[in-house]
Amino acid sequence: QVQLVESGGGSVQAGGSLRLSCASSGSTYSSGCMGWFRQAPGKERERVATIFRDGSTSYADYVKGRFTLSRDNAKNTLYLQMNSLEPEDTAMYYCAAVDNRNLCWTRAYRYWGQGTQVTVSS
């Protein structure tokens, strides 16, 4: 069973930075992909970024140039470096994984962490 645990959230002022971490256990890199999602109150859950087996990444348009997704395979840890944060980035951020790469471009990931809160003040 795959387990994902997020950390690194917190409160920052606009323009600040945070780095989120997702520690994983189980097989999360044999196939498929991992990613970060976020959900703000009253809004739908949205995909922030996805990283594939070969290390390639895909980002939502609204975070391109500000967020960077990376992975340390030896530590089984996924990172999301968040720079130039804006109040609109305030949300609960979730780490997720799926072993079917056909689902990587959707929100139907199989495994989910409990989330870590990010709050950005203006």
Side-chain angles (χ1 to χ4, degrees):
Q1 185 176 23
V2 174
Q3 297 182 47
L4 305 172
V5 180
E6 304 96 335
S7 62
S11 298
V12 298
Q13 289 186 295
S17 299
L18 285 172
R19 189 176 76 160
L20 306 184
S21 298
C22 173
S24 64
S25 62
S27 300
T28 58
Y29 55 87
S30 61
S31 63
C33 56
M34 297 184 68
W36 286 93
F37 293 76
R38 70 186 188 186
Q39 187 168 25
K43 299 179 66 177
E44 64 182 358
R45 183 172 297 183
E46 58 189 7
R47 186 178 66 86
V48 176
T50 298
I51 186 167
F52 301 86
R53 292 178 62 191
D54 63 359
S56 61
T57 55
S58 176
Y59 299 91
D61 289 339
Y62 53 84
V63 303
K64 287 182 178 179
R66 298 190 299 121
F67 293 6
T68 303
L69 185 64
S70 63
R71 181 176 62 205
D72 186 331
N73 291 326
K75 297 181 179 180
N76 289 125
T77 301
L78 185 70
Y79 302 98
L80 183 67
Q81 179 65 47
M82 309 164 66
N83 299 324
S84 301
L85 285 163
E86 305 168 353
E88 292 75 18
D89 295 316
T90 295
M92 183 72 74
Y93 283 71
Y94 299 91
C95 178
V98 66
D99 51 10
N100 185 342
R101 71 181 187 88
N102 292 325
L103 300 178
C104 292
W105 302 98
T106 75
R107 294 185 294 177
Y109 282 45
R110 183 175 182 179
Y111 306 103
W112 295 84
Q114 296 301 306
T116 184
Q117 180 67 41
V118 171
T119 302
V120 185
S121 302
S122 61

